[in-house]
Amino acid sequence: TRMCFSDTCGVFTPEAVDHYFPPIVKALPKGIELTAHFHNDFAIGAYNCVRALSHGATHAGVTANGIGERAGNASLHQVVMILKELYGVELPGFKYDRLWDLRRAIERASGIAMPPHEPLIGEGVFSHESGMHTAGIAIHPAIYQFIREETVGGTHRFIFGKHTGAA
């Protein structure tokens, strides 16, 4: 009932997705769905999933926290937030504000900690120390932070240190 296209080496480029997915989708028999499963060796697994969806793939083969072989798989948090924030595609019923909770649960269950600067769900993503950033955030959060922390269930922090400045 479903075909899975897998880039298990993580070497597909977005241009390759644009080239190969339309004819694959067109060649599938009626009623057969297509999963796009990309590994993240070059940090483009999530974007490749989104590109494949734009060409007719019906499922994104993603994992929580991007856990997978070698460099991992396309991350659920990255795929859903690229769709929502960059393309305006909101998944009905998806609880975006639980992404940080999911990250923490997966960290506890797997023993694999996410880097603090992991896009969207890392502990440091909504932290600001530099004077320019903290001053901008105080004026309006969108100056230095496109995504509001509550969108993904994150926490906003100001870090006072040597880069903070007088403002």
Side-chain angles (χ1 to χ4, degrees):
T1 60
R2 186 184 310 164
M3 178 186 155
C4 182
F5 178 94
S6 298
D7 174 19
T8 56
C9 293
V11 295
F12 246 53
T13 63
E15 295 82 8
V17 174
D18 293 343
H19 178 78
Y20 287 104
F21 267 76
I24 290 171
V25 169
K26 187 176 179 182
L28 287 174
K30 187 172 177 62
I32 301 296
E33 297 179 331
L34 177 61
T35 296
H37 177 81
F38 291 95
H39 284 248
N40 205 31
D41 296 68
F42 286 94
I44 55 175
Y47 186 66
N48 280 343
C49 273
V50 171
R51 293 298 311 145
L53 292 169
S54 78
H55 290 300
T58 53
H59 302 277
V62 298
T63 61
N65 291 10
I67 292 174
E69 293 286 331
R70 297 175 334 279
N73 296 0
S75 300
L76 169 70
H77 64 277
Q78 292 178 4
V79 170
V80 299
M81 291 302 291
I82 289 170
L83 287 169
K84 181 179 187 291
E85 297 293 338
L86 300 182
Y87 292 97
V89 177
E90 200 160 334
L91 302 175
F94 190 86
K95 296 178 179 167
Y96 297 90
D97 62 337
R98 302 291 310 272
L99 286 169
W100 269 44
D101 291 339
L102 176 62
R103 181 207 78 212
R104 290 180 184 122
I106 297 300
E107 285 176 325
R108 281 191 303 275
S110 69
I112 301 170
M114 294 299 294
H117 296 100
E118 172 67 23
L120 306 162
I121 61 169
E123 285 293 331
V125 172
F126 302 109
S127 300
H128 302 275
E129 178 184 1
S130 89
M132 187 183 301
H133 279 234
T134 55
I137 291 287
I139 294 167
H140 193 284
I143 291 174
Y144 278 105
Q145 190 174 293
F146 179 77
I147 299 168
R148 299 294 303 250
E149 63 276 3
E150 60 268 12
T151 303
V152 293
T155 303
H156 184 221
R157 296 183 311 151
F158 286 114
I159 300 169
F160 295 99
K162 65 182 180 179
H163 300 292
T164 302

